[in-house]
Amino acid sequence: MNASREPTAVDFSDDGLARRAKALACTAPLQALDENKGSLRWVKADVYQLAEIALHTIDQVTISMDFDSGANQEKVVDQVKRFVALQAPERTTEEHRSVARHVLQRLINVGTVERSFNETIGAVDRSGVYRRFGFQFNLLVERAGRDGKIYLRASDEAINVLVGALDTDVESAQIAAEVKLDSLIKRGRLAEAKLAAEQARYRTVQYGEMLRQLLDATARDIRAVDWEREVPELLAHALAHIEERYDFEHRILSNISAARDKSDEPLHKQRAAELVTIVRDCIRRHMQLQKRLLTARSVFREEQDRQQFAELPLRAVLDLYGQVLNPVLDLSLRDALTVGEGFFSDAVGPEPPAVMDLSSLVTRLLRTAPERERLGEAIPELDLAETTEKPAFTLGDWAATDELLDFCDTPRQLSDLLAEAEHTARSTATLLLHRAFHALDPQVGERIARGDSRVLVGVGTGDRFDVPHFGGDDLLLCSVPITRPPDGTDPDSPLPEDTFE
């Protein structure tokens, strides 16, 4: 007889799952570009793959990033415009530029206050409770360079989206990418080697971005960065990393040259030349990173001297949204009123009295009252200009539509009539469309009371039409004669069946 066993508790907490959820959240803005492209009214974006354009945009910004500056927005638009033109070569250059700018602005998240994306993800904590929390991130950010100009920079999340990883160690990821690159070159697989070389370059850019952020934080406040243990260890590891990568990349260059010399195919030679350009760019970036690493300690000492002897601010800057509004919204009404009254009384400051001493009070009391005007101040005369509202349609438009709708026995389709009206004027076609719309529900009683002899009736055909400036469901229009009821008929009685044919 088997004894009953209680089910064992399963630990669902997984840091790897949380990292993958963050990686998936970083791709949500790119997926939303294609999901919402049907709502763009200024362009028919069904031929464009906007997510691919976004990846190409992030690629261009990442390659153009440097320590002192980033990517120029107009240059990025010009480069991405060429990629957009490959997807729809029959479209105009202005449309290609507009699509490229639209994708770039969506990656910056223009139109929001903080210009950051917020996605809700979940994770299981150590206690086994599933909790949801907001994940805030950026893809492309606008930062001021040392020359005062505004540049674009790719965030860590954007680079991770580009190379397909998140929360990975920068150095180990680059070592793996370069080992893979060397292996692919030796086996002659230059097409895959180019992709591995580009990933290695992205990791180099990300490594330099980490150092730049540390130096910028040091320039703002040296106490925000641990220069006693964390940063010196990082600098030491980074210098050793650069030395290893420098030797490794020179060996890669020799392997590329050997593969290029052995191959007789022009395509292999072209790919080898592209690899040479990418690897040399990696070497240049490593040399630039090494220069920054060697001068990082001098930057720390200069900032330490500058901030140590700088005057302390008289009053700290208050974050009204984060330090006042958000905490007050979580309080009860009674506690919120107490905090609000105290804040506004301190924020407004003291108001000086109108009378400072007794002599000033006596002087003001004995002062003669000023003589007032009996009729008050003169009222300025307003310069009013007469405006005449122009009619939406001219008499010529009405005459042209009357001529088009002058058919007695043969019904005609709305699409054919609109095509004829387009040759006359755009306003004529618009008026014809309005009159056809009213023909769907003709007011027969009003037409009889008005004395009309015919009424225009429209019936849907189930087909759709698409003319140069109009589109929609097609109608079959027919001019039906009205037969008046005989004299002596009760006006409130139903109309006979042959009132109109």
Side-chain angles (χ1 to χ4, degrees):
M1 184 176 181
N2 295 331
S4 61
R5 296 181 179 179
E6 296 182 358
T8 58
V10 180
D11 186 10
F12 290 100
S13 61
D14 187 4
D15 295 337
L17 180 62
R19 288 196 299 269
R20 284 180 287 170
K22 288 182 179 180
L24 187 62
C26 289
T27 62
L30 277 68
Q31 299 172 4
L33 287 171
D34 281 325
E35 293 174 358
N36 301 327
K37 64 183 179 181
S39 61
L40 300 178
R41 298 183 178 181
W42 51 271
V43 64
K44 292 183 178 180
D46 52 343
V47 299
Y48 296 110
Q49 299 296 329
L50 299 185
E52 297 177 4
I53 298 175
L55 287 175
H56 186 72
T57 304
I58 296 174
D59 191 358
Q60 297 300 321
V61 174
T62 305
I63 294 174
S64 302
M65 284 171 53
D66 208 339
F67 276 91
D68 299 330
S69 62
N72 183 274
Q73 185 167 344
E74 293 301 326
K75 291 183 179 179
V76 171
V77 172
D78 291 337
Q79 294 169 348
V80 177
K81 179 188 67 175
R82 303 172 186 173
F83 181 74
V84 177
L86 296 177
Q87 295 188 359
E90 70 279 359
R91 301 292 178 87
T92 61
T93 306
E94 290 76 10
E95 181 175 314
H96 297 157
R97 172 175 286 274
S98 300
V99 172
R101 189 177 299 278
H102 167 72
V103 173
L104 179 61
Q105 291 180 351
R106 295 284 71 79
L107 293 176
I108 303 174
N109 205 8
V110 174
T112 59
V113 177
E114 298 179 355
R115 294 199 172 184
S116 58
F117 299 96
N118 292 277
E119 296 292 335
T120 302
I121 60 177
V124 181
D125 57 13
R126 297 299 180 184
S127 60
V129 179
Y130 183 83
R131 302 182 185 278
R132 294 178 176 86
F133 58 92
F135 175 52
Q136 187 174 7
F137 62 95
N138 296 91
L139 293 179
L140 297 182
V141 295
E142 294 177 315
R143 293 289 183 266
R146 297 186 182 274
D147 54 358
K149 298 181 181 179
I150 302 299
Y151 295 98
L152 292 176
R153 304 191 72 90
S155 64
D156 293 338
E157 293 84 2
I159 298 176
N160 283 321
V161 167
L162 192 63
V163 301
L166 188 68
D167 283 350
T168 56
D169 182 67
V170 176
E171 182 176 355
S172 61
Q174 183 166 351
I175 293 174
E178 291 180 347
V179 171
K180 179 181 178 182
L181 173 61
D182 188 25
S183 176
L184 291 173
I185 292 174
K186 289 180 179 179
R187 287 182 291 169
R189 301 171 64 178
L190 298 182
E192 299 180 14
K194 180 183 178 182
L195 178 60
E198 291 176 347
Q199 292 180 350
R201 179 168 59 179
Y202 298 146
R203 288 300 175 187
T204 303
V205 174
Q206 189 177 13
Y207 206 95
E209 184 68 10
M210 291 176 56
L211 179 61
R212 188 193 65 82
Q213 292 177 2
L214 287 175
L215 296 179
D216 288 347
T218 302
R220 291 190 296 269
D221 187 2
I222 59 174
R223 295 171 296 181
V225 183
D226 184 9
W227 280 89
E228 184 176 358
R229 296 182 57 185
E230 180 182 357
V231 178
E233 291 179 0
L234 176 64
L235 296 179
H237 289 306
L239 287 172
H241 160 81
I242 290 176
E243 183 178 358
E244 294 175 0
R245 301 282 69 75
Y246 187 79
D247 296 337
F248 196 88
E249 286 164 355
H250 276 80
R251 290 197 299 269
I252 290 176
L253 281 177
S254 61
N255 291 333
I256 296 175
S257 301
R260 179 189 57 191
D261 297 337
K262 291 179 182 179
S263 177
D264 295 332
E265 298 182 6
L267 182 59
H268 278 233
K269 290 184 178 293
Q270 179 182 357
R271 289 175 176 173
E274 294 175 354
L275 280 174
V276 169
T277 302
I278 295 176
V279 175
R280 284 179 177 175
D281 184 55
C282 290
I283 296 175
R284 181 187 63 82
R285 291 180 182 274
H286 278 139
M287 295 177 64
Q288 188 181 33
L289 179 61
Q290 183 184 24
K291 179 181 178 181
R292 290 290 179 175
L293 289 171
L294 294 176
T295 58
R297 289 182 172 84
S298 62
V299 172
F300 165 70
R301 289 190 292 267
E302 292 174 359
E303 291 297 330
Q304 186 180 28
D305 295 340
R306 183 182 66 84
Q307 297 180 23
Q308 183 177 4
F309 297 102
E311 296 182 359
L312 297 176
L314 300 179
R315 183 179 296 274
V317 179
L318 179 65
D319 184 8
L320 294 179
Y321 181 78
Q323 297 179 351
V324 179
L325 181 58
N326 276 342
V328 167
L329 292 177
D330 296 334
L331 300 177
S332 61
L333 181 59
R334 179 182 302 175
D335 296 337
L337 288 176
T338 304
V339 175
E341 291 175 356
F343 168 74
F344 283 106
S345 62
D346 296 338
V348 172
E351 182 179 356
V355 180
M356 301 298 296
D357 50 19
L358 182 60
S359 59
S360 301
L361 175 61
V362 174
T363 303
R364 294 190 62 177
L365 292 176
L366 298 179
R367 186 177 57 186
T368 305
E371 185 178 356
R372 298 181 179 179
E373 295 287 343
R374 294 184 178 181
L375 301 179
E377 298 180 356
I379 300 177
E381 295 183 1
L382 301 179
D383 186 11
L384 301 178
E386 296 183 0
T387 58
T388 56
E389 184 178 357
K390 296 182 179 180
F393 304 104
T394 62
L395 295 178
D397 296 332
W398 284 95
T401 53
D402 288 339
E403 184 179 353
L404 289 172
L405 296 175
D406 187 14
F407 47 85
C408 297
D409 299 329
T410 304
R412 298 194 60 184
Q413 289 186 341
L414 175 60
S415 57
D416 297 336
L417 294 173
L418 284 175
E420 296 180 10
E422 281 284 337
H423 296 290
T424 304
R426 177 78 64 80
S427 58
T428 303
T430 306
L431 177 58
L432 178 64
L433 191 64
H434 281 286
R435 297 184 67 175
F437 173 76
H438 288 287
L440 283 173
D441 185 16
Q443 304 294 328
V444 181
E446 295 181 2
R447 299 296 180 89
I448 295 175
R450 198 167 55 187
D452 293 344
S453 59
R454 308 185 71 88
V455 61
L456 185 65
V457 178
V459 180
T461 62
D463 300 330
R464 296 183 64 84
F465 69 93
D466 186 9
V467 296
H469 299 94
F470 303 97
D473 296 334
D474 205 352
L475 300 177
L476 185 64
L477 300 177
C478 180
S479 179
V480 180
I482 298 177
T483 303
R484 298 184 178 279
D487 296 337
T489 305
D490 186 5
D492 296 330
S493 62
L495 295 174
E497 296 181 357
D498 58 348
T499 299
F500 61 92
E501 301 175 357

